[in-house]
Amino acid sequence: MPATAPSPCPPAPGRVPLLGHAPALLRRPLSFFESTRTDDPLVRIGFGPFHLYLANDPALVHRIQVDTGAFERGRFFEGLAGHFGNPLIASEGAAHSHQRRIVKPAFSRRSVRSHTQDIVEEADRQFSSWRPGTPVAADEALSDLVAAVVLRALFSADLSHDVVRDIRQTLFLIARRLIPRTVFPGFLMSLPTPGNRRFDAAVRRFHAIVDALAQDRRAHPVAAHDVLDVLLKSTHPLTGLPYTDEEVRGEFLMMLFAALETTGTSLTWAVFETTVRPEVQRRMHDEASAVLDAGPLDYDRLKDLSYTRKVVDETLRLHAPMLFTRRARHDVELAGTLVPAGSEIGYSPRAMHRNPDTYDRPRHFDPERGESETGQDLPRGAYFPWGTGPHRCIGEHLAETTMTVALATLVTRWQLRIAPGTRRITESNSSLPHPSSLPWW
């Protein structure tokens, strides 16, 4: 019996002539990829001349992430590499394996264990500076906390509050422009628009900060054996030569970007979800108080913060990035569609994590979701907060530890309330949506 011929890929809903799906994306960027969900496991979306195959099926999403023989990193990561060299987060194949092997010890459980006290100290320092009745811009304070933790743990940099905030705000400006630079034609991103100028200025500012840190380390070596030390002493996997200043800068920038953007934003959302749900806040407080009554928090006792960890997991489910892409290395069949070599294939963690076929009340925050909705019994590709396959996030353990410690410390010190008169808190239009603000009282 002859094999069935591949079928054409149906377009996603919302397409208009000439412009494709660009108007729909610009009109509702946060819900756009959820709106493309149909009964078809693979749909095609277009933004002017640029086209993208979008996987809506968990099995396809999983395959795209793990099958490196068929799929390479693609347009999204090329965009990162174009601005930041060829860092770990964007590299491929043997180069990626080599880079990952070099920095992996800094992200191991053993390393995170050694830095847990640093995380506890930074959380205590941040939250003890607040005063009753004095409003706090919690979104900024939490991002500053995460920035200080990452800079201290990975780069042995105990920087001033002003420098930490400068780094964080620069990263935010860069993050806001990543999705447009990924899906829209390159010539649009080179136009001298205000947004493009702000992006270019932010990159230059970040380069200057990192160059200063690297120059200081070279002039004043320390026995830290941290990521910065490794980068300054390593050789490039492709050339065998020491990393250039540009390559060191690129690795440093993208590690900071990944750590601060993901962990800081997720922690802020976790606190928001806790603040607007008194019953969640009460349970977290009772759990953390019981743990801390038995002695200072350390790495081995994090396992006793099981409900707090559920809050972290549910936050990562509900507030996930909008889009990642890969590229087909050769012609490949996906869900009955022949995808030509060189085609871009995308998947939306946000849409997958909010799929009503997988999750009951998918937009509702519920730390007590059953096992079947927290990852263990889900189909592969339905829940992947840190990605999967060879490019799985190398910093996930540090991120989870930081968020758990910060939440436990916070709820034992303060009763959280959003400041009276606060406007409705909304999501920003960025690769990983941020809360518009989070003022506490």
Side-chain angles (χ1 to χ4, degrees), residues 322-377:
M322 289 200 294
L323 177 70
F324 290 125
T325 64
R326 296 289 192 268
R327 179 182 293 124
R329 294 182 182 272
H330 50 73
D331 292 355
V332 60
E333 188 171 329
L334 291 177
T337 293
L338 182 63
V339 176
S343 298
E344 297 288 331
I345 304 101
Y347 57 93
S348 171
R350 182 184 176 95
M352 287 291 99
H353 288 185
R354 297 182 177 207
N355 188 342
D357 294 335
T358 304
Y359 298 99
D360 180 42
R361 301 174 66 196
R363 292 173 174 268
H364 178 67
F365 184 84
D366 179 13
E368 289 288 17
R369 289 183 181 276
E371 251 187 18
S372 63
E373 291 193 3
T374 55
Q376 191 168 14
D377 293 341

Side-chain angles (χ1 to χ4, degrees), residues 80-91:
L80 297 182
H83 292 289
F84 306 112
N86 190 40
L88 173 68
I89 195 173
S91 60

Side-chain angles (χ1 to χ4, degrees), residues 8-9 39 44 124 284 315 328 332 342 361:
C9 185
D39 291 336
R44 197 175 187 193
D124 283 335
M284 288 177 60
T315 300
V332 60
R361 301 174 66 196

Side-chain angles (χ1 to χ4, degrees), residues 28-52:
R28 54 178 193 278
L30 294 175
S31 62
F32 172 77
F33 293 105
E34 293 174 74
S35 74
T36 64
R37 185 184 299 114
T38 66
D39 291 336
D40 298 297
L42 189 73
V43 294
R44 197 175 187 193
I45 58 179
F47 309 102
F50 173 66
H51 293 274
L52 174 77

Side-chain angles (χ1 to χ4, degrees), residues 8 22 32 67 95 170 177 204 210 346 360:
F32 172 77
D67 188 356
T170 303
R177 302 295 297 172
R204 289 194 298 271
V210 175
D360 180 42

Side-chain angles (χ1 to χ4, degrees), residues 402-419:
T402 299
M403 286 189 280
T404 303
V405 169
L407 288 171
T409 305
L410 179 57
V411 297
T412 56
R413 285 183 174 269
W414 297 100
Q415 182 178 356
L416 310 177
R417 293 182 297 173
I418 295 177

Side-chain angles (χ1 to χ4, degrees), residues 5-76:
S7 57
C9 185
R15 182 178 59 173
V16 299
L18 299 179
L19 298 178
H21 295 90
L25 176 62
L26 293 172
R27 187 168 57 249
R28 54 178 193 278
L30 294 175
S31 62
F32 172 77
F33 293 105
E34 293 174 74
S35 74
T36 64
R37 185 184 299 114
T38 66
D39 291 336
D40 298 297
L42 189 73
V43 294
R44 197 175 187 193
I45 58 179
F47 309 102
F50 173 66
H51 293 274
L52 174 77
Y53 292 89
L54 185 70
N56 283 325
D57 176 71
L60 287 186
V61 171
H62 178 78
R63 178 185 170 189
I64 290 166
Q65 292 183 80
V66 302
D67 188 356
T68 55
F71 305 100
E72 58 188 4
R73 298 291 261 174
R75 187 183 183 95
F76 180 84

Side-chain angles (χ1 to χ4, degrees), residues 70-322:
F71 305 100
E72 58 188 4
R73 298 291 261 174
R75 187 183 183 95
F76 180 84
F77 294 98
E78 281 185 350
L80 297 182
H83 292 289
F84 306 112
N86 190 40
L88 173 68
I89 195 173
S91 60
E92 292 275 5
H96 177 82
S97 297
H98 177 87
Q99 290 165 288
R100 192 179 182 95
R101 187 166 54 251
I102 287 174
V103 301
K104 186 175 181 180
F107 296 93
S108 67
R109 291 181 181 272
R110 180 178 178 180
S111 179
V112 173
R113 173 192 290 270
S114 71
H115 289 301
T116 300
Q117 186 58 38
D118 293 338
I119 301 172
V120 171
E121 290 175 2
E122 291 293 347
D124 283 335
R125 180 190 304 177
Q126 179 66 254
F127 302 140
S128 64
S129 68
W130 299 355
R131 295 294 177 263
T134 302
V136 175
D139 50 333
E140 295 188 6
L142 294 169
S143 293
D144 287 346
L145 165 62
V146 171
V149 166
V150 172
L151 288 164
R152 188 170 171 181
L154 299 184
F155 305 104
S156 301
D158 194 1
L159 303 173
S160 71
H161 173 79
D162 289 342
V163 173
V164 170
R165 176 154 293 188
D166 190 12
I167 291 174
R168 179 183 60 75
Q169 291 176 340
T170 303
L171 275 170
F172 178 70
L173 290 173
I174 294 171
R176 289 182 63 187
R177 302 295 297 172
L178 283 181
I179 286 292
R181 286 174 174 265
T182 298
V183 299
F184 291 141
F187 76 91
L188 292 178
M189 297 300 101
S190 63
L191 297 176
T193 64
N196 288 339
R197 288 199 299 268
R198 285 193 294 270
F199 180 88
D200 293 337
V203 171
R204 289 194 298 271
R205 174 62 183 149
F206 211 175
H207 284 180
I209 293 170
V210 175
D211 286 347
L213 291 173
Q215 290 168 9
D216 182 71
R217 176 63 64 86
R218 288 191 176 102
H220 306 94
V222 296
H225 303 297
D226 56 11
V227 170
L228 183 56
D229 187 63
V230 167
L231 294 177
L232 294 176
K233 295 178 179 178
S234 296
T235 58
H236 195 280
L238 299 179
T239 66
L241 300 173
Y243 276 81
T244 65
D245 289 346
E246 182 179 2
E247 289 163 347
V248 170
R249 180 195 295 155
E251 292 287 1
F252 190 102
L253 290 179
M254 290 315 302
M255 269 185 213
L256 275 176
F257 171 78
L260 302 188
E261 177 70 2
T262 302
T263 310
T265 300
S266 297
L267 177 58
T268 303
W269 280 123
V271 172
F272 167 79
E273 300 291 357
T274 298
T275 301
V276 299
R277 292 174 174 79
E279 73 284 0
V280 172
Q281 187 173 167
R282 176 187 55 78
R283 287 194 59 179
M284 288 177 60
H285 173 272
D286 292 347
E287 176 183 78
S289 296
V291 171
L292 291 172
D293 283 346
L297 187 60
D298 60 26
Y299 180 85
D300 291 325
R301 300 176 64 230
L302 291 178
K303 65 181 183 298
D304 297 326
L305 296 170
S306 58
Y307 184 75
T308 304
R309 178 57 188 273
K310 289 180 180 179
V311 170
V312 171
D313 291 341
E314 178 68 347
T315 300
L316 294 171
R317 181 195 70 81
L318 190 62
H319 299 284
M322 289 200 294

